[in-house]
Amino acid sequence: MAICNSPVSVTTSSSSSHADSDLDFSIRKRFGGKGKAVADSSLETETEAAAAAVLEAEKSVGEVGSGGDRGESGSQVVRNGENGVAEVAAKFAYRPCAPAHRKVKESPLSSDAIFRQSHAGLFNLCIVVLVAVNSRLIIENLMKYGWLIRAGFWFSSKSLRDWPLFMCCLTLPIFPLAAFVVEKLAQQKYISEQVVVSLHIIITTAAVLFPVLVILRCDSAVLSGVTLMLFACIVWLKLVSFAHTNYDMRAVAKLIDKGDDLSTSLNMDYPYDVNFKSLAYFMVAPTLCYQPSYPRSTCIRKGWVFRQFVKLAIFTGVMGFIIEQYINPIVQNSQHPLKGNFFYALERILKLSVPNLYVWLCMFYCFFHLWLNILAELLRFGDREFYKDWWNAKTVEEYWRMWNMPVHKWMVRHLYFPCLRNGISKGVSVVIAFAISAIFHELCIAVPCHMFKLWAFIGIMFQVPLVLVTNYLQNKFRNSMVGNMIFWLFFSILGQPMCVLLYYHDLMNRKETTESSL
């Protein structure tokens, strides 16, 4: 290949011809040296081949210019030859004889290659479309219905009626204090193990029943009752972990005293000791599993905490806006889903599903990401795996293992494996875990609503057959996302809106019945 037409200009003709021959030799050497085409190169694309040719050619021209007998400096040669070398390399790489197809390749969206590609652009498109569509819906809703958010949404004079629930919340630390006294007596061997277990059962049961009785005896707001029940359930879970962990540590300490070295196999980094400071830290830490010490971060990032609080306020406001502006009108204008026309009920559920899904995702982001990370930062709590990528779960079972890691770790540590160690089968252990979860879901919703319809319990227990179905589909169709779609469909699109409608109409019917009886 001749390169005499290159615009590389030098002072003397001899140096020009010498530079051209060296440049031609460099390019030929880079791509085979024996007249081979660019297709013989191991590069993947023509653009890479052109770029490589540019680099090699520039290097050759630089070497030519470095000789002092040429009568011109190397830097001047390189400067004058840059454009010409690039043009030569481009012409060389894109010659008609250069093959355009070098290897077997799949389309980026094919089933074999789709998960090896980056979809950041499509994700950005979805975000832009989501913002545009919802902005139009918000404007249309405001034009049609006006501003529906009440002035007393965050606080009103009716909120003062909930002072018994607030006082009950302040008394919850009594139960951890009682559990600490019991464990201290057990450490000093003043009471037997049977008495310790009995006292812990009484304390943990009272920690749940006392708030239930207070809520049922008071005509309080549903939101206040839900908040108190969540605190009570968290206290119950923490107390069970505290009692169970100390019980097991006493058993291990007895075995070690007998000469069995179990500390290495159990990976125990701390001795058995009942410490009030450890219990106090555990009760406020973002975890449900007790241990005397936790991994700690080095410092508190005050600026980071402030930014998370700002995000928390923004997304909480977004949730309130969606609830007041969208969900409440839809629910109030809907009939009971089990007492009307099937297609009408389905239309109401699907209409409610989108704003309900937005609220649920905002709730997850606010609580599991923002609030728990804020709490962990303030307490310098190191392990911040509060959730995993549950949105990629291929089965319903994977979702329940990844979306709420504090509860999942508690279930595995204090329920699932203890059941297995006591001879209970794996399937029955899973059902027991779902049953415990269903009971607490029902308590957190039914008690504040002052009615026990078991809708939440049934909804959680319905996950058991979904686990079996999605596991079967995953085993039958490898790398299938059918289970993930089934989860989104039954849990978020149909299940949650159905429960909202059921509880709302049952709550309204209860109020109407109470008012008519009075």
Side-chain angles (χ1 to χ4, degrees):
M1 173 182 177
I3 58 172
C4 58
N5 295 328
S6 171
V8 180
S9 61
V10 291
T11 304
T12 61
S13 59
S14 59
S15 62
S16 175
S17 60
H18 190 78
D20 289 349
S21 61
D22 285 350
L23 179 60
D24 179 72
F25 173 76
S26 175
I27 295 178
R28 290 180 179 276
K29 182 179 180 181
R30 175 66 181 85
F31 294 104
K34 296 182 179 180
K36 293 184 179 180
V38 182
D40 293 338
S41 173
S42 61
L43 297 177
E44 291 293 329
T45 62
E46 292 84 359
T47 304
E48 293 175 341
V54 170
L55 293 177
E56 292 290 342
E58 288 180 350
K59 181 179 179 182
S60 299
V61 174
E63 292 174 352
V64 171
S66 63
D69 58 346
R70 300 295 197 274
E72 188 174 18
S73 65
S75 59
Q76 184 178 356
V77 174
V78 173
R79 184 171 59 253
N80 294 335
E82 285 179 351
N83 295 332
V85 169
E87 181 181 351
V88 171
K91 290 181 179 179
F92 185 83
Y94 288 99
R95 292 184 66 87
C97 62
H101 308 282
R102 298 186 178 90
K103 58 187 296 187
V104 177
K105 294 182 180 180
E106 294 287 343
S107 299
L109 295 180
S110 63
S111 58
D112 294 334
I114 186 170
F115 295 111
R116 298 196 300 266
Q117 306 293 328
S118 173
H119 302 95
L122 294 178
F123 178 78
N124 294 335
L125 174 63
C126 292
I127 295 296
V128 172
V129 172
L130 190 67
V131 172
V133 171
N134 285 277
S135 298
R136 183 193 67 81
L137 293 177
I138 291 174
I139 295 173
E140 181 181 351
N141 182 273
L142 292 175
M143 293 175 60
K144 187 175 182 180
Y145 301 105
W147 189 262
L148 300 179
I149 299 179
R150 301 185 301 271
F153 174 74
W154 299 108
F155 181 82
S156 64
S157 58
K158 295 182 180 180
S159 302
L160 298 176
R161 300 180 308 177
D162 300 335
W163 67 268
L165 276 64
F166 179 71
M167 298 302 297
C168 179
C169 187
L170 294 180
T171 59
L172 290 178
I174 295 176
F175 301 102
L177 182 60
F180 170 75
V181 173
V182 171
E183 284 299 325
K184 204 65 178 178
L185 294 174
Q187 184 185 19
Q188 302 297 329
K189 299 181 180 180
Y190 291 143
I191 53 179
S192 63
E193 286 293 341
Q194 291 78 9
V195 175
V196 173
V197 173
S198 301
L199 290 176
H200 277 305
I201 292 175
I202 295 173
I203 293 171
T204 53
T205 305
V208 173
L209 290 184
F210 177 59
V212 169
L213 294 176
V214 172
I215 295 173
L216 293 179
R217 290 180 63 87
C218 300
D219 186 17
S220 60
V222 175
L223 183 59
S224 301
V226 170
T227 303
L228 178 57
M229 283 306 305
L230 285 175
F231 277 117
C233 292
I234 290 173
V235 170
W236 187 89
L237 294 171
K238 285 177 177 283
L239 291 180
V240 170
S241 179
F242 177 70
H244 196 185
T245 301
N246 280 290
Y247 175 85
D248 192 54
M249 291 178 68
R250 283 195 300 273
V252 172
K254 292 178 181 179
L255 293 176
I256 294 177
D257 291 340
K258 293 180 180 179
D260 296 335
D261 188 10
L262 300 176
S263 58
T264 303
S265 60
L266 294 176
N267 195 22
M268 292 181 59
D269 299 328
Y270 38 79
Y272 170 58
D273 182 34
V274 181
N275 187 282
F276 181 77
K277 183 178 179 180
S278 299
L279 175 60
Y281 182 86
F282 167 64
M283 294 306 299
V284 296
T287 180
L288 300 175
C289 294
Y290 172 75
Q291 58 191 61
S293 63
Y294 296 93
R296 305 290 293 275
S297 57
T298 56
C299 61
I300 299 176
R301 298 169 292 176
K302 298 180 181 179
W304 184 88
V305 172
F306 175 77
R307 292 193 297 270
Q308 305 311 306
F309 267 116
V310 172
K311 293 179 184 178
L312 184 63
I314 292 174
F315 279 93
T316 304
V318 170
M319 283 194 295
F321 175 81
I322 296 175
I323 292 172
E324 288 292 299
Q325 197 71 26
Y326 289 93
I327 293 182
N328 283 349
I330 294 175
V331 173
Q332 293 172 2
N333 297 327
S334 302
Q335 299 178 0
H336 197 286
L338 299 182
K339 297 181 181 179
N341 182 271
F342 171 76
F343 290 103
Y344 172 82
L346 182 61
E347 186 273 337
R348 291 285 92 183
I349 291 173
L350 293 178
K351 186 174 183 179
L352 183 62
S353 63
V354 175
N356 181 82
L357 178 61
Y358 289 164
V359 170
W360 183 68
L361 293 177
C362 287
M363 179 277 300
F364 167 81
Y365 183 73
C366 287
F367 182 76
F368 286 97
H369 183 74
L370 295 178
W371 172 246
L372 291 183
N373 273 288
I374 289 172
L375 189 60
E377 186 72 19
L378 295 176
L379 297 173
R380 295 174 48 222
F381 187 82
D383 187 3
R384 304 184 184 184
E385 190 184 45
F386 304 120
Y387 58 90
K388 294 183 179 180
D389 56 334
W390 54 266
W391 45 87
N392 293 326
K394 295 181 177 62
T395 65
V396 175
E397 183 181 6
E398 284 186 7
Y399 160 76
W400 286 109
R401 289 203 310 264
M402 295 191 297
W403 103 279
N404 188 343
M405 293 305 295
V407 172
H408 171 70
K409 292 177 181 178
W410 187 95
M411 287 285 185
V412 170
R413 192 179 189 222
H414 301 291
L415 186 64
Y416 181 73
F417 278 106
C419 288
L420 294 181
R421 284 194 293 267
N422 284 276
I424 301 176
S425 64
K426 180 179 178 181
V428 177
S429 301
V430 171
V431 174
I432 293 174
F434 273 102
I436 297 297
S437 177
I439 290 173
F440 280 101
H441 277 81
E442 182 67 25
L443 285 175
C444 291
I445 299 177
V447 173
C449 294
H450 295 252
M451 60 183 183
F452 295 89
K453 296 292 185 177
L454 300 180
W455 300 126
F457 181 87
I458 295 173
I460 298 298
M461 294 306 297
F462 184 70
Q463 304 297 308
V464 176
L466 287 180
V467 168
L468 300 177
V469 171
T470 54
N471 285 343
Y472 170 78
L473 293 175
Q474 176 62 19
N475 294 330
K476 186 176 180 62
F477 308 101
R478 294 293 180 179
N479 297 325
S480 172
M481 298 300 290
V482 176
N484 185 266
M485 296 179 183
I486 290 177
F487 154 70
W488 285 113
L489 176 64
F490 284 97
F491 189 81
S492 300
I493 304 301
L494 299 177
Q496 290 182 354
M498 173 72 78
C499 286
V500 170
L501 289 176
L502 289 172
Y503 274 107
Y504 173 80
H505 285 286
D506 289 340
L507 182 62
M508 292 297 102
N509 293 336
R510 185 187 67 83
K511 288 185 177 181
E512 293 176 359
T513 304
T514 303
E515 293 175 357
S516 61
S517 62
L518 295 176

